[in-house]
Amino acid sequence: MNAIIQTNELTKTVKGKTIVKNVNLIVKKGEIYGLLGPNGAGKTTIMKMLTGLIIPTSGEIMLFGKKLAETSKEGLKRVGSIIEYPIFYDHLTAMENLRIHCEYLGFYDKRAMIQALDMVQLKGIGDKKVKDFSLGMKQRLGIARAAITKPELIVLDEPTNGLDPIGIKDMRDLIRTLNKEYGITFLLSSHILGEIEQVADRIGVIRNGQLADEVSLSDIRRQRTDYIELLTSNVQRSAFLLEHELQVSNLKIVKDNRIRIYDAGISAGQISKLLISQDIEIEEIQKHTSTLEDYFYHQIQGGDKVD
Amino acid sequence: MIKLIELEWRKLDRKKVFGEVIIYWVILMFLPVFFLKVVFADNPAVHFGESYGAAIDLMLPIQMGFLLFGASLINHVFIEEYKNKTMALSFGYPLSRKRLVMVKVLFIALAVFFCSLISFVLAGITTYGLDQALEVIDGSPSAADLMTYVVRMIIHSFATALASLIPLFLFGIWKRAVIPTVVCAIFLMQFPNFLGLLRITLNPDLFYAILSFLGVASVYLSVKLVNRLGDL
């Protein structure tokens, strides 16, 4: 396993309150890892510790196989980040901000700065002061800054905050491009499921400061079950007909009036046609897909992993 | 280290800082003559105008005004950076916090030292020039006076640079409060006058030595405790 980030029992306590507790997180090289959790779950605190902004109360962070500590922050040269919201020296221009960032990292390449601005569609406004930027522009400039040195890891906390729908799509595309073309590993956080679902390879669910579960999106997609839900007053007879007339082998009677049919080859139309022909009243029939939302909801509510 | 100090300068709103320094220079260059010609004009007990040697004793405490500039820099370099979170941005670079604080401290100390040095030169030239026109100081400056002035201006600028860091730990890094930082600088600046009012005589050299020591102590605590204070 080629772990870019590995934490061991990472814990952060502030004023006696434990915000992050015993988190053992592994982010592998080249993947897009999403931290998912409701507001206040501890996602930002984890990211702040991973980027050296705050010091863990206990536990260990390994970045690129080396321990990250106040006295050994060399690993951060290979990391780009935006935590909470992009922070800049507002009285300076976009280009001046990028230049200062690069110089702190011992990197200076004017062409790379121009390219970074191009990449986030901020071409030609490098001489504009950041205080005149909209939040969306600042967010994009933040991405440009995070990616300018082509780091091996980019940490983005709620990267689509403040972006309009087009900006959100652009951001998603940009993350995918940087991941695929430059092999940059991403650690993202969001409380919006759809966002994470569309870009992440793996997700870690954060609940009350703990890593409740880690799962790959492909696993969830595999687990994702489509089913048809039927509401009828005559459940027993309907189930009998479905089994014998349509050869349904995978169904479940959920409540007194509700049946779920999991067989992939059966359509709602076939079921309706059959039941109507047998004079069985259908109150409702609908196709359902269990999504990441179901999974996430289940995790946040404290349930076990979806089987 | 020099590169990092230069970056501190580039991060500042330089126009604002330049404007501020120019105001200090202009005020402090005219103050000695103003005191001699206006404030002490009718006070026979004051003898600063008797010779250039005596005038130097007046000019030295006036240049303590640069303590206020130090407070202003603490505000720009530390307090504002904490408040607008650019300090957190700096903490994300591969640089230890202690080193970062040390760089900022050196930047402030160097800025105060050199600006104070220039201020001494400007005040010396202006006082001499105005004395030629207004005759506020008796006699002419001797080579010994000039030598004393040069030596004192270096020592004094050094002491001012260190003393300007006194508010750093308590008000700059811990409390992050602008007004107490400035009030502290004003208090230190006026401290010799308070002693005068209380009829307490304190050797000026000892006084500057104590202030310098307090400045160093404040820097030591700032560097030592930066990891334990604030956004951890």
Side-chain angles (χ1 to χ4, degrees):
Chain A
M1 183 185 60
N2 204 348
I4 294 264
I5 299 173
Q6 185 161 7
T7 69
N8 180 26
E9 300 295 310
L10 193 63
T11 300
K12 180 70 189 176
T13 304
V14 177
K15 292 175 185 167
K17 192 182 171 199
T18 303
I19 297 167
V20 172
K21 193 177 175 188
N22 302 332
V23 169
N24 296 307
L25 178 77
I26 292 174
V27 179
K28 293 176 204 161
K29 188 173 181 181
E31 75 175 341
I32 301 177
Y33 188 101
L35 280 180
L36 200 57
N39 292 327
K43 304 182 297 291
T44 301
T45 307
I46 291 172
M47 289 184 148
K48 280 185 173 177
M49 286 191 276
L50 294 175
T51 49
L53 300 184
I54 57 171
I55 301 165
T57 307
S58 64
E60 197 177 63
I61 298 168
M62 301 293 282
L63 263 186
F64 307 101
K66 287 182 184 165
K67 191 176 170 183
L68 178 73
E70 251 306 289
T71 47
S72 56
K73 293 166 96 177
E74 274 303 297
L76 293 177
K77 273 191 179 176
R78 299 155 76 181
V79 181
S81 63
I82 306 179
I83 307 294
E84 283 184 319
Y85 49 86
I87 296 160
F88 295 97
Y89 300 98
D90 285 353
H91 58 278
L92 300 180
T93 65
M95 200 55 125
E96 283 169 335
N97 270 282
L98 293 183
R99 204 171 290 139
I100 284 173
H101 171 77
C102 288
E103 288 187 27
Y104 267 116
L105 295 173
F107 173 95
Y108 189 85
D109 182 350
K110 196 174 178 189
R111 208 168 46 187
M113 292 178 208
I114 294 166
Q115 280 172 353
L117 288 175
D118 281 0
M119 181 180 74
V120 294
Q121 281 119 45
L122 290 176
K123 192 178 181 178
I125 53 170
D127 292 332
K128 193 173 173 181
K129 288 192 174 174
V130 175
K131 66 181 174 191
D132 299 324
F133 278 28
S134 68
L135 180 58
M137 286 164 83
K138 281 186 181 176
Q139 195 77 313
R140 279 188 271 163
L141 183 61
I143 294 281
R145 184 173 61 188
I148 195 167
T149 58
K150 298 290 179 296
E152 289 160 69
L153 169 69
I154 294 183
V155 179
L156 301 177
D157 184 18
E158 309 269 1
T160 54
N161 265 359
L163 296 184
D164 55 30
I166 294 169
I168 290 172
K169 188 189 173 298
D170 289 346
M171 179 69 75
R172 221 163 32 222
D173 293 344
L174 189 61
I175 290 169
R176 282 201 201 104
T177 305
L178 290 170
N179 177 252
K180 294 280 175 290
E181 289 185 14
Y182 298 98
I184 297 174
T185 306
F186 278 85
L187 173 64
L188 313 172
S189 79
S190 182
H191 60 277
I192 301 168
L193 301 168
E195 268 177 24
I196 288 276
E197 193 177 19
Q198 288 184 61
V199 288
D201 300 317
R202 276 198 312 143
I203 58 160
V205 178
I206 303 294
R207 189 176 67 220
N208 300 327
Q210 289 180 296
L211 185 62
D213 197 12
E214 257 184 326
V215 69
S216 88
L217 260 286
S218 56
D219 284 351
I220 293 184
R221 284 186 192 111
R222 226 175 288 130
Q223 289 165 8
R224 180 183 289 182
T225 46
D226 292 348
Y227 61 88
I228 295 165
E229 193 165 78
L230 170 70
L231 260 78
T232 173
S233 53
N234 199 341
V235 168
Q236 295 304 329
R237 189 163 146 70
S238 299
F240 177 83
L241 286 168
L242 288 168
E243 281 173 354
H244 291 89
E245 297 295 325
L246 292 176
Q247 280 74 48
V248 170
S249 58
N250 191 359
L251 64 79
K252 192 168 161 186
I253 298 172
V254 183
K255 285 179 186 168
D256 291 346
N257 64 343
R258 201 177 292 253
I259 305 173
R260 281 184 188 168
I261 300 113
Y262 294 93
D263 281 41
I266 307 294
S267 71
Q270 283 174 282
I271 296 167
S272 309
K273 201 173 167 185
L274 170 71
L275 298 182
I276 289 164
S277 70
Q278 296 297 320
D279 209 21
I280 294 175
E281 189 187 343
I282 299 170
E283 290 174 26
E284 190 183 314
I285 186 161
Q286 201 173 6
K287 190 169 180 181
H288 286 269
T289 301
S290 71
T291 60
L292 180 60
E293 194 169 342
D294 299 332
Y295 176 86
F296 179 71
Y297 183 77
H298 203 65
Q299 290 297 320
I300 296 305
Q301 294 304 308
D304 296 320
K305 192 177 159 185
V306 171
D307 294 322
Chain B
M1 201 64 148
I2 292 167
K3 186 81 197 163
L4 291 171
I5 292 171
E6 190 209 322
L7 281 173
E8 286 303 325
W9 169 237
R10 281 173 40 198
K11 286 193 293 189
L12 282 180
D13 191 342
R14 289 173 300 234
K15 273 187 197 163
K16 204 193 274 182
V17 177
F18 260 133
E20 210 177 306
V21 173
I22 288 167
I23 290 168
Y24 284 116
W25 280 338
V26 170
I27 291 173
L28 296 182
M29 69 198 246
F30 290 109
L31 265 189
V33 172
F34 174 76
F35 274 107
L36 290 169
K37 189 76 183 166
V38 181
V39 180
F40 301 142
D42 302 322
N43 190 345
V46 176
H47 305 289
F48 290 126
E50 279 181 355
S51 67
Y52 268 86
I56 290 171
D57 289 338
L58 169 69
M59 292 170 77
L60 292 177
I62 286 175
Q63 296 297 329
M64 289 289 277
F66 269 88
L67 286 176
L68 211 51
F69 179 54
S72 169
L73 286 180
I74 288 173
N75 176 37
H76 292 313
V77 174
F78 283 95
I79 301 172
E80 275 180 14
E81 284 223 25
Y82 270 118
K83 288 191 171 166
N84 60 25
K85 306 247 178 191
T86 48
M87 189 67 102
L89 188 69
S90 305
F91 288 161
Y93 292 122
L95 196 70
S96 79
R97 289 170 192 223
K98 290 185 178 188
R99 188 150 185 239
L100 193 73
V101 170
M102 207 56 227
V103 167
K104 287 176 179 290
V105 162
L106 278 173
F107 169 72
I108 294 173
L110 287 172
V112 173
F113 176 76
F114 284 111
C115 288
S116 171
L117 220 51
I118 293 168
S119 183
F120 265 105
V121 173
L122 291 174
I125 293 168
T126 310
T127 306
Y128 178 75
L130 289 175
D131 180 46
Q132 301 310 302
L134 304 170
E135 292 182 0
V136 285
I137 303 168
D138 297 339
S140 301
S142 65
D145 289 334
L146 203 63
M147 198 55 167
T148 304
Y149 190 71
V150 170
V151 171
R152 298 297 298 183
M153 97 179 174
I154 293 169
I155 294 171
H156 208 84
S157 296
F158 188 72
T160 307
L162 292 179
S164 69
L165 295 162
I166 291 173
L168 175 65
F169 173 65
L170 184 61
F171 301 123
I173 289 182
W174 191 356
K175 300 292 177 194
R176 297 170 196 175
V178 180
I179 293 171
T181 305
V182 173
V183 169
C184 176
I186 293 171
F187 175 78
L188 292 170
M189 223 165 69
Q190 294 301 323
F191 194 69
N193 295 335
F194 297 146
L195 290 179
L197 288 173
L198 296 169
R199 297 180 191 283
I200 298 170
T201 313
L202 188 67
N203 180 308
D205 291 337
L206 178 67
F207 173 65
Y208 295 130
I210 291 170
L211 289 190
S212 303
F213 173 76
L214 289 175
V216 171
S218 172
V219 170
Y220 174 77
L221 288 172
S222 302
V223 174
K224 179 94 179 157
L225 300 175
V226 67
N227 287 338
R228 292 198 214 162
L229 297 169
D231 302 327
L232 299 177

PDB file of all heavy atoms in Angstrom, chain A residues 119-136:
ATOM      1  N   MET A 119      -5.714  27.968 -15.764  1.00  0.00           N
ATOM      2  CA  MET A 119      -6.379  26.717 -15.443  1.00  0.00           C
ATOM      3  C   MET A 119      -7.690  26.941 -14.694  1.00  0.00           C
ATOM      4  O   MET A 119      -8.659  26.212 -14.880  1.00  0.00           O
ATOM      5  CB  MET A 119      -5.419  25.886 -14.583  1.00  0.00           C
ATOM      6  CG  MET A 119      -5.885  24.547 -14.141  1.00  0.00           C
ATOM      7  SD  MET A 119      -4.592  23.765 -13.161  1.00  0.00           S
ATOM      8  CE  MET A 119      -4.685  24.672 -11.639  1.00  0.00           C
ATOM      9  N   VAL A 120      -7.726  27.983 -13.870  1.00  0.00           N
ATOM     10  CA  VAL A 120      -8.954  28.239 -13.092  1.00  0.00           C
ATOM     11  C   VAL A 120      -9.769  29.399 -13.691  1.00  0.00           C
ATOM     12  O   VAL A 120     -10.608  30.001 -13.021  1.00  0.00           O
ATOM     13  CB  VAL A 120      -8.625  28.528 -11.606  1.00  0.00           C
ATOM     14  CG1 VAL A 120      -8.051  27.305 -10.929  1.00  0.00           C
ATOM     15  CG2 VAL A 120      -7.682  29.714 -11.465  1.00  0.00           C
ATOM     16  N   GLN A 121      -9.507  29.666 -14.942  1.00  0.00           N
ATOM     17  CA  GLN A 121     -10.210  30.718 -15.677  1.00  0.00           C
ATOM     18  C   GLN A 121     -10.107  32.102 -15.038  1.00  0.00           C
ATOM     19  O   GLN A 121     -11.078  32.843 -14.939  1.00  0.00           O
ATOM     20  CB  GLN A 121     -11.685  30.347 -15.853  1.00  0.00           C
ATOM     21  CG  GLN A 121     -11.901  29.353 -16.983  1.00  0.00           C
ATOM     22  CD  GLN A 121     -12.494  28.073 -16.479  1.00  0.00           C
ATOM     23  OE1 GLN A 121     -13.422  28.105 -15.703  1.00  0.00           O
ATOM     24  NE2 GLN A 121     -11.966  26.941 -16.917  1.00  0.00           N
ATOM     25  N   LEU A 122      -8.907  32.393 -14.561  1.00  0.00           N
ATOM     26  CA  LEU A 122      -8.663  33.736 -14.042  1.00  0.00           C
ATOM     27  C   LEU A 122      -7.602  34.436 -14.898  1.00  0.00           C
ATOM     28  O   LEU A 122      -6.877  35.298 -14.429  1.00  0.00           O
ATOM     29  CB  LEU A 122      -8.213  33.679 -12.579  1.00  0.00           C
ATOM     30  CG  LEU A 122      -9.260  33.266 -11.551  1.00  0.00           C
ATOM     31  CD1 LEU A 122      -8.646  33.170 -10.160  1.00  0.00           C
ATOM     32  CD2 LEU A 122     -10.438  34.217 -11.518  1.00  0.00           C
ATOM     33  N   LYS A 123      -7.557  34.032 -16.134  1.00  0.00           N
ATOM     34  CA  LYS A 123      -6.561  34.585 -17.063  1.00  0.00           C
ATOM     35  C   LYS A 123      -6.727  36.102 -17.180  1.00  0.00           C
ATOM     36  O   LYS A 123      -7.843  36.599 -17.294  1.00  0.00           O
ATOM     37  CB  LYS A 123      -6.756  33.935 -18.425  1.00  0.00           C
ATOM     38  CG  LYS A 123      -5.639  34.177 -19.397  1.00  0.00           C
ATOM     39  CD  LYS A 123      -5.900  33.459 -20.698  1.00  0.00           C
ATOM     40  CE  LYS A 123      -4.760  33.698 -21.655  1.00  0.00           C
ATOM     41  NZ  LYS A 123      -4.961  32.969 -22.910  1.00  0.00           N
ATOM     42  N   GLY A 124      -5.606  36.773 -17.131  1.00  0.00           N
ATOM     43  CA  GLY A 124      -5.620  38.221 -17.380  1.00  0.00           C
ATOM     44  C   GLY A 124      -6.019  39.072 -16.189  1.00  0.00           C
ATOM     45  O   GLY A 124      -6.069  40.288 -16.300  1.00  0.00           O
ATOM     46  N   ILE A 125      -6.315  38.454 -15.057  1.00  0.00           N
ATOM     47  CA  ILE A 125      -6.664  39.296 -13.909  1.00  0.00           C
ATOM     48  C   ILE A 125      -5.680  39.114 -12.750  1.00  0.00           C
ATOM     49  O   ILE A 125      -6.005  39.371 -11.597  1.00  0.00           O
ATOM     50  CB  ILE A 125      -8.121  39.079 -13.438  1.00  0.00           C
ATOM     51  CG1 ILE A 125      -8.401  37.611 -13.182  1.00  0.00           C
ATOM     52  CG2 ILE A 125      -9.119  39.663 -14.406  1.00  0.00           C
ATOM     53  CD1 ILE A 125      -9.734  37.427 -12.497  1.00  0.00           C
ATOM     54  N   GLY A 126      -4.485  38.691 -13.121  1.00  0.00           N
ATOM     55  CA  GLY A 126      -3.437  38.500 -12.116  1.00  0.00           C
ATOM     56  C   GLY A 126      -3.049  39.793 -11.424  1.00  0.00           C
ATOM     57  O   GLY A 126      -2.548  39.785 -10.303  1.00  0.00           O
ATOM     58  N   ASP A 127      -3.283  40.934 -12.106  1.00  0.00           N
ATOM     59  CA  ASP A 127      -2.891  42.220 -11.517  1.00  0.00           C
ATOM     60  C   ASP A 127      -4.019  42.873 -10.718  1.00  0.00           C
ATOM     61  O   ASP A 127      -3.870  43.986 -10.224  1.00  0.00           O
ATOM     62  CB  ASP A 127      -2.438  43.183 -12.627  1.00  0.00           C
ATOM     63  CG  ASP A 127      -1.135  42.707 -13.256  1.00  0.00           C
ATOM     64  OD1 ASP A 127      -0.365  42.022 -12.545  1.00  0.00           O
ATOM     65  OD2 ASP A 127      -0.915  42.977 -14.446  1.00  0.00           O
ATOM     66  N   LYS A 128      -5.110  42.168 -10.598  1.00  0.00           N
ATOM     67  CA  LYS A 128      -6.243  42.712  -9.835  1.00  0.00           C
ATOM     68  C   LYS A 128      -6.062  42.367  -8.360  1.00  0.00           C
ATOM     69  O   LYS A 128      -5.630  41.251  -8.029  1.00  0.00           O
ATOM     70  CB  LYS A 128      -7.530  42.070 -10.377  1.00  0.00           C
ATOM     71  CG  LYS A 128      -8.799  42.738  -9.919  1.00  0.00           C
ATOM     72  CD  LYS A 128      -9.983  42.130 -10.654  1.00  0.00           C
ATOM     73  CE  LYS A 128     -11.274  42.673 -10.092  1.00  0.00           C
ATOM     74  NZ  LYS A 128     -12.440  42.113 -10.740  1.00  0.00           N
ATOM     75  N   LYS A 129      -6.405  43.310  -7.495  1.00  0.00           N
ATOM     76  CA  LYS A 129      -6.251  43.050  -6.056  1.00  0.00           C
ATOM     77  C   LYS A 129      -7.294  42.045  -5.593  1.00  0.00           C
ATOM     78  O   LYS A 129      -8.455  42.089  -6.028  1.00  0.00           O
ATOM     79  CB  LYS A 129      -6.374  44.350  -5.266  1.00  0.00           C
ATOM     80  CG  LYS A 129      -5.151  45.213  -5.468  1.00  0.00           C
ATOM     81  CD  LYS A 129      -5.066  46.357  -4.505  1.00  0.00           C
ATOM     82  CE  LYS A 129      -3.728  47.054  -4.709  1.00  0.00           C
ATOM     83  NZ  LYS A 129      -3.574  48.252  -3.950  1.00  0.00           N
ATOM     84  N   VAL A 130      -6.895  41.179  -4.690  1.00  0.00           N
ATOM     85  CA  VAL A 130      -7.778  40.096  -4.244  1.00  0.00           C
ATOM     86  C   VAL A 130      -9.013  40.651  -3.519  1.00  0.00           C
ATOM     87  O   VAL A 130     -10.077  40.043  -3.555  1.00  0.00           O
ATOM     88  CB  VAL A 130      -7.000  39.098  -3.353  1.00  0.00           C
ATOM     89  CG1 VAL A 130      -7.905  38.042  -2.771  1.00  0.00           C
ATOM     90  CG2 VAL A 130      -5.906  38.432  -4.173  1.00  0.00           C
ATOM     91  N   LYS A 131      -8.872  41.826  -2.901  1.00  0.00           N
ATOM     92  CA  LYS A 131     -10.022  42.392  -2.182  1.00  0.00           C
ATOM     93  C   LYS A 131     -11.187  42.694  -3.141  1.00  0.00           C
ATOM     94  O   LYS A 131     -12.328  42.807  -2.706  1.00  0.00           O
ATOM     95  CB  LYS A 131      -9.629  43.633  -1.387  1.00  0.00           C
ATOM     96  CG  LYS A 131      -9.207  44.817  -2.208  1.00  0.00           C
ATOM     97  CD  LYS A 131      -8.814  45.972  -1.306  1.00  0.00           C
ATOM     98  CE  LYS A 131      -8.258  47.099  -2.154  1.00  0.00           C
ATOM     99  NZ  LYS A 131      -7.625  48.141  -1.381  1.00  0.00           N
ATOM    100  N   ASP A 132     -10.882  42.801  -4.429  1.00  0.00           N
ATOM    101  CA  ASP A 132     -11.933  43.065  -5.412  1.00  0.00           C
ATOM    102  C   ASP A 132     -12.500  41.773  -6.011  1.00  0.00           C
ATOM    103  O   ASP A 132     -13.327  41.829  -6.926  1.00  0.00           O
ATOM    104  CB  ASP A 132     -11.388  43.956  -6.541  1.00  0.00           C
ATOM    105  CG  ASP A 132     -10.913  45.292  -6.013  1.00  0.00           C
ATOM    106  OD1 ASP A 132     -11.558  45.800  -5.074  1.00  0.00           O
ATOM    107  OD2 ASP A 132      -9.895  45.819  -6.503  1.00  0.00           O
ATOM    108  N   PHE A 133     -12.066  40.634  -5.534  1.00  0.00           N
ATOM    109  CA  PHE A 133     -12.538  39.347  -6.056  1.00  0.00           C
ATOM    110  C   PHE A 133     -13.844  38.934  -5.388  1.00  0.00           C
ATOM    111  O   PHE A 133     -14.047  39.201  -4.206  1.00  0.00           O
ATOM    112  CB  PHE A 133     -11.501  38.245  -5.784  1.00  0.00           C
ATOM    113  CG  PHE A 133     -10.367  38.183  -6.777  1.00  0.00           C
ATOM    114  CD1 PHE A 133      -9.944  39.300  -7.468  1.00  0.00           C
ATOM    115  CD2 PHE A 133      -9.708  36.993  -7.012  1.00  0.00           C
ATOM    116  CE1 PHE A 133      -8.904  39.242  -8.366  1.00  0.00           C
ATOM    117  CE2 PHE A 133      -8.660  36.917  -7.913  1.00  0.00           C
ATOM    118  CZ  PHE A 133      -8.255  38.043  -8.597  1.00  0.00           C
ATOM    119  N   SER A 134     -14.688  38.230  -6.139  1.00  0.00           N
ATOM    120  CA  SER A 134     -15.870  37.622  -5.530  1.00  0.00           C
ATOM    121  C   SER A 134     -15.424  36.351  -4.802  1.00  0.00           C
ATOM    122  O   SER A 134     -14.290  35.886  -4.991  1.00  0.00           O
ATOM    123  CB  SER A 134     -16.876  37.252  -6.617  1.00  0.00           C
ATOM    124  OG  SER A 134     -16.350  36.207  -7.407  1.00  0.00           O
ATOM    125  N   LEU A 135     -16.330  35.783  -4.005  1.00  0.00           N
ATOM    126  CA  LEU A 135     -15.971  34.565  -3.268  1.00  0.00           C
ATOM    127  C   LEU A 135     -15.610  33.429  -4.234  1.00  0.00           C
ATOM    128  O   LEU A 135     -14.649  32.685  -4.004  1.00  0.00           O
ATOM    129  CB  LEU A 135     -17.128  34.138  -2.349  1.00  0.00           C
ATOM    130  CG  LEU A 135     -16.882  32.883  -1.511  1.00  0.00           C
ATOM    131  CD1 LEU A 135     -15.664  33.034  -0.625  1.00  0.00           C
ATOM    132  CD2 LEU A 135     -18.102  32.557  -0.663  1.00  0.00           C
ATOM    133  N   GLY A 136     -16.386  33.337  -5.320  1.00  0.00           N
ATOM    134  CA  GLY A 136     -16.107  32.294  -6.306  1.00  0.00           C
ATOM    135  C   GLY A 136     -14.728  32.458  -6.925  1.00  0.00           C
ATOM    136  O   GLY A 136     -14.006  31.477  -7.127  1.00  0.00           O
TER     137      GLY A 136
END
